[in-house]
Each structure stands twice: as structure tokens, then as C-alpha cells.
Amino acid sequence: MKNVFSARKLALLASFTALSMIMFMIESLFPPLFIPGAKMGLSNIFSLYTLIVLGPVEAFVVVVVRTLLGSLFVGNLSTLMYSMTAGIVSIIVSSILMKLVYPKISLIAISVVSAVVHNLTQNVVFCYVSNTPQMFSYMPWLAVIGVVAGIIVGYAVYFIVKLVPKKVYFFLDEDKPEVKVE
């Protein structure tokens, strides 16, 4: 039986998680975009990149660890339930899209769908937990912010995939299909 988390793979996963945490913490220093709590989600660059390079399980680990530690470090545990739920739903949607329709649709399109789903899921959870259905009126604005954020994250991942030499990942599974971007 093959070791799923070799030492090298675990080190790469830890690096992606750390980079994601750094982006999360830097972004937490800036005010929200137009709507209370709205952020660009730049830490998702490393979640999507992990999904592409390592796979869905590892991307799930990055999302969960980043959300837990990020909430602890920035002192905002109340948002943990929104961010964790949205992050998990978002990574599931991204994984399904990568498996079923990539490369028929681009990484940028996958990122956009994922970001919109993330924002809308957070809002639904917030409305449910806080019993404030009026917040559903934010859905169109959150979708627009999700599109913009998804484009930014998608292009960042696109350029990382294009520019990082394949030999960096020589130790990864040979049976994993190579990600090609046009």
C-alpha cells in the first residue's frame, strides 16, 4: 500500500497551508469590500493550487487548517462556522468541477464558480444562524464580489501553474494527470 502522505508531500502541504495562512492574515488587516465581512479571499489561491497539484483531500486539509488557525490568530472565532462551511462547500464544488469538466472550462471559471459558491454559502449560513433573512438581499452583491475575487484568484493560480517548473513536483504521483493551462 502506497503512503498517501509521504514526508515530501506533507512538507509541500505544510508549505501551501502556511502560505495560505499568511495571505489570510494579511488580508484580515484590510477593511471589508463594500459589504460587511466581504474579502477577496486571496488565501484561496493556495487552496485551488493545492487541489490542482496534490488533490482534493489535500486541498480540504489546507482549507480546514487555514480556517481553524486563521480564526484563532486573528481572534475572530465567531466567523469560524461561516468560513469553515463555505470553504468546505467551495472545495467540494471545485473538486467536482476539476474532475468532471476541466479542461473544458478554465481554471479561472472554476475559481469564479468556487468564489461565488463560497460567498453565497457564507451568507446562507449567516442568515440561518443569526435568523436575519434580510441579509439574503446581499446575495447579488456577494455574487459580484465572488466573480471579481474568483477572477483574481483564478489568474493567480493560472500563472503559478504556468510558471512553476514541473520538476519542483517530481516526487508526486506519476498517475496524476498533468494540469495544462492555455
Side-chain angles (χ1 to χ4, degrees):
M1 184 172 173
K2 191 165 96 175
N3 185 359
V4 177
F5 286 104
S6 67
R8 288 180 176 174
K9 193 172 187 179
L10 194 56
L12 189 60
L13 182 59
S15 298
F16 290 164
T17 304
L19 289 167
S20 183
M21 277 290 306
I22 290 167
M23 291 299 283
F24 178 85
M25 292 178 69
I26 290 171
E27 192 171 23
S28 74
L29 300 173
F30 296 100
L33 303 170
F34 314 113
I35 296 174
K39 302 281 185 180
M40 288 311 281
L42 297 177
S43 60
N44 293 316
I45 292 168
F46 299 100
S47 303
L48 183 57
Y49 189 59
T50 302
L51 175 64
I52 292 165
V53 174
L54 298 176
V57 172
E58 293 83 356
F60 176 81
V61 169
V62 169
V63 168
V64 169
V65 172
R66 178 197 65 232
T67 306
L68 284 170
L69 292 178
S71 296
L72 286 171
F73 290 160
V74 299
N76 200 351
L77 290 175
S78 64
T79 62
L80 183 61
M81 68 183 113
Y82 316 120
S83 296
M84 183 69 76
T85 305
I88 290 170
V89 170
S90 172
I91 207 67
I92 289 169
V93 168
S94 297
S95 298
I96 291 168
L97 290 173
M98 286 297 291
K99 179 92 172 150
L100 297 179
V101 294
Y102 183 80
K104 292 176 186 169
I105 66 169
S106 68
L107 287 175
I108 291 104
I110 291 171
S111 178
V112 167
V113 170
S114 179
V116 170
V117 165
H118 187 281
N119 285 355
L120 298 182
T121 301
Q122 270 189 322
N123 196 48
V124 167
V125 171
F126 178 80
C127 290
Y128 177 73
V129 169
S130 67
N131 196 24
T132 53
Q134 308 87 312
M135 296 300 286
F136 280 115
S137 65
Y138 281 170
M139 292 289 222
W141 300 109
L142 291 170
V144 169
I145 291 170
V147 169
V148 173
I151 290 170
I152 292 168
V153 167
Y155 270 108
V157 173
Y158 170 84
F159 286 115
I160 292 170
V161 168
K162 280 243 291 192
L163 298 174
V164 172
K166 303 296 181 256
K167 65 181 178 183
V168 171
Y169 308 110
F170 70 93
F171 58 88
L172 295 177
D173 299 336
E174 297 300 325
D175 59 341
K176 183 162 176 53
E178 185 175 328
V179 177
K180 294 181 183 175
V181 291
E182 271 81 58

